[in-house]
Amino acid sequence: MAGIYIHIPYCKQACHYCDFHFSTMLKSVPEMGKAILEEIRMRGDYLGKQSISTIYFGGGTPSLLPAVYISSILSLIRRSFFLTEQTEITLEANPDDLSPEKLKMFFDLGINRLSIGVQSFDNEVLKFINRAHSRDQALKCIEDARKTGFRNINVDLIHSIPGSRPDRWQRDLEIILDIFPEHISSYGLTIEPGTVFGKWHKEKRLIPLEEDLAASEYELLINYLQRAGYDHYEISNFALPGHRSRHNMSYWLGEHYMGIGPGAHSYNGTSRQYNVTNNARYIKSIHHKELPATRETLSRLDQANEYLLTSLRTSWGIDLKVLREKFSFNLLDEQGTYLQRLIQGGLLLQQNEHLILTDKGKLLADQITEDLFLTSP
Ligand code: SF4
């Protein structure tokens, strides 16, 4: 099984924290639409004969596009690849785009999963991070999506926002549990260079949330959602039974995927490909039938480290047998002392052949992954 990711690189406005690839200049949308279709045609054999378990329209803001663009991309994919009855087709959407009419159009096209960028239900916070919607728009579009027939909805939230208070975050969690979507992704806000928050931080006008407050927000998130029956299957992802995201899972399980559009990445098991992150250059290159991508061949060491990086974030953890048999690394030999320290410190559990982060360990996941990275081939 394999996945297809389509990057739609446009947004209405720039959120202050976001460093994804997007443009707020929409005049190239028609040319971009054509280029995306052409790239799909050019890469018809990238995934071989594998059937497609997930198609994901991400961005940027795919819901900003008229539905006709999504329709022509999906028709071409359906004609060019083998989809099944169960293929998950996700569209990322922002609340301010989701009118009842547009929801119906997306639903009729066969989009069977919506991922809605709500981020917060607090109007002050939404304004602070420069989102284009209000709390009421978010609530209304989720209600409308249900009425339209969507039965698989993800809501994105952000925790650990600078200046946040525990009671504010708790209110967001209470609201999300009233809504009870099938899936919730919640990432802690990080301040990235090149963003408005990055600039404010450099100028000392923005202070990140203190570490202990950020940790309490994350702990509150886990407690609330687990008590409500969500499966905490990856550090930032929670699903009701049977609703883990196939798109996310395909990345974590190392399945092959083809990324289409500027800034999209592709992976075929042995190499990774990165499309140029510039809309004009992307369109021009595709127009000349040249794929605007750089390719990196992954060594066995790269692949083992990618496996470590992704699997440590999941609820099933690192499978030592996979590391031994697929990549010829014995982690217990290489990092035995460090792993014992993590286990004794309550950061890691060993269950048979699996190493799994505890909730306390999840708070330090980035550091632990870095420490575990294998260096010798
Ligand atoms: S967070 Fe989403 S909507 Fe905001 S700028 Fe980034 S891609 Fe666009």
Side-chain angles (χ1 to χ4, degrees):
M1 296 293 250
I4 297 178
Y5 172 82
I6 318 284
H7 191 82
I8 307 293
Y10 298 100
C11 292
K12 212 174 266 177
Q13 62 190 50
C15 302
H16 286 348
Y17 55 88
C18 180
D19 70 342
F20 292 166
H21 171 63
F22 67 91
S23 164
T24 51
M25 313 282 280
L26 306 187
K27 69 174 190 310
S28 61
V29 166
E31 286 306 305
M32 182 62 72
K34 284 186 210 151
I36 285 176
L37 291 173
E38 189 54 33
E39 188 188 352
I40 297 172
R41 285 187 205 104
M42 285 163 70
R43 300 181 65 196
D45 57 358
Y46 184 81
L47 296 170
K49 296 205 180 319
Q50 300 183 76
S51 56
I52 305 301
S53 62
T54 154
I55 299 169
Y56 193 97
F57 290 89
T61 315
S63 58
L64 192 58
L65 293 193
V68 64
Y69 287 94
I70 305 294
S71 168
S72 44
I73 294 169
L74 261 181
S75 310
L76 180 59
I77 291 177
R78 285 195 172 106
R79 291 199 302 275
S80 317
F81 297 89
F82 180 65
L83 274 57
T84 71
E85 291 275 296
Q86 287 77 37
T87 301
E88 178 184 273
I89 308 179
T90 306
L91 182 101
E92 279 184 359
N94 279 344
D96 41 310
D97 296 327
L98 291 180
S99 62
E101 299 71 38
K102 212 158 182 188
L103 278 164
K104 167 102 176 54
M105 283 189 242
F106 289 142
F107 187 74
D108 290 345
L109 291 179
I111 303 288
N112 54 28
R113 185 170 182 271
L114 277 182
S115 178
I116 306 180
V118 169
Q119 318 310 356
S120 171
F121 291 102
D122 185 309
N123 280 335
E124 246 177 64
V125 171
L126 291 170
K127 204 166 156 213
F128 173 60
I129 61 179
N130 205 36
R131 296 290 298 178
H133 66 269
S134 66
R135 161 205 156 102
D136 288 350
Q137 279 176 306
L139 294 172
K140 166 112 180 28
C141 85
I142 298 170
E143 199 186 315
D144 288 342
R146 288 286 189 228
K147 282 187 197 149
T148 308
F150 284 100
R151 296 287 168 263
N152 194 358
I153 296 179
N154 168 60
V155 172
D156 278 343
L157 293 177
I158 299 180
H159 59 86
S160 309
I161 293 173
S164 178
R165 300 179 315 270
D167 61 319
R168 187 208 62 77
W169 178 234
Q170 192 170 336
R171 260 201 318 278
D172 273 358
L173 292 174
E174 281 159 6
I175 296 171
I176 199 68
L177 288 185
D178 268 353
I179 297 169
F180 211 51
E182 286 71 23
H183 193 281
I184 299 169
S185 296
S186 183
Y187 290 85
L189 189 136
T190 52
I191 298 178
E192 304 294 342
T195 63
V196 170
F197 277 176
K199 180 169 174 279
W200 290 358
H201 184 235
K202 212 166 146 198
E203 295 166 357
K204 307 211 180 327
R205 290 162 58 200
L206 184 79
I207 304 163
L209 193 68
E210 292 90 329
E211 257 179 42
D212 53 338
L213 288 179
S216 332
E217 290 207 352
Y218 184 59
E219 279 158 8
L220 204 62
L221 169 78
I222 297 177
N223 291 341
Y224 261 66
L225 299 196
Q226 282 186 337
R227 270 209 316 265
Y230 284 87
D231 164 26
H232 186 189
Y233 70 111
E234 196 265 355
I235 288 188
S236 306
N237 287 279
F238 302 80
L240 291 179
H243 288 92
R244 287 182 178 184
S245 155
R246 268 187 223 144
H247 168 73
N248 296 354
M249 293 286 291
S250 72
Y251 288 158
W252 303 325
L253 293 175
E255 289 174 5
H256 301 183
Y257 58 87
M258 176 172 70
I260 300 286
H265 299 179
S266 304
Y267 172 70
N268 68 359
T270 52
S271 72
R272 218 168 263 294
Q273 226 167 273
Y274 308 89
N275 280 2
V276 66
T277 48
N278 178 298
N279 289 0
R281 276 170 53 204
Y282 171 80
I283 291 170
K284 193 168 167 210
S285 177
I286 294 286
H287 184 71
H288 289 103
K289 303 267 184 276
E290 278 166 24
L291 203 60
T294 47
R295 191 162 161 270
E296 175 194 13
T297 302
L298 300 172
S299 65
R300 187 172 52 89
L301 181 66
D302 295 332
Q303 292 179 45
N305 279 329
E306 287 211 2
Y307 174 74
L308 274 180
L309 176 77
T310 48
S311 57
L312 191 64
R313 295 178 60 90
T314 63
S315 58
W316 53 93
I318 297 170
D319 185 340
L320 294 168
K321 195 162 165 233
V322 170
L323 268 182
R324 272 197 317 272
E325 294 180 0
K326 194 163 168 199
F327 304 113
S328 316
F329 283 103
N330 189 325
L331 195 62
L332 294 181
D333 281 356
E334 304 231 359
Q335 293 273 20
T337 315
Y338 179 61
L339 291 171
Q340 270 316 312
R341 250 189 25 234
L342 294 176
I343 291 169
Q344 280 158 14
L347 300 171
L348 193 72
L349 294 172
Q350 178 163 7
Q351 288 177 356
N352 304 317
E353 288 270 52
H354 288 254
L355 296 172
I356 302 166
L357 286 177
T358 61
D359 286 349
K360 195 172 151 196
K362 285 173 189 149
L363 287 165
L364 300 170
D366 290 345
Q367 185 57 54
I368 295 173
T369 312
E370 206 178 298
D371 295 341
L372 282 178
F373 263 174
L374 300 158
T375 48
S376 51

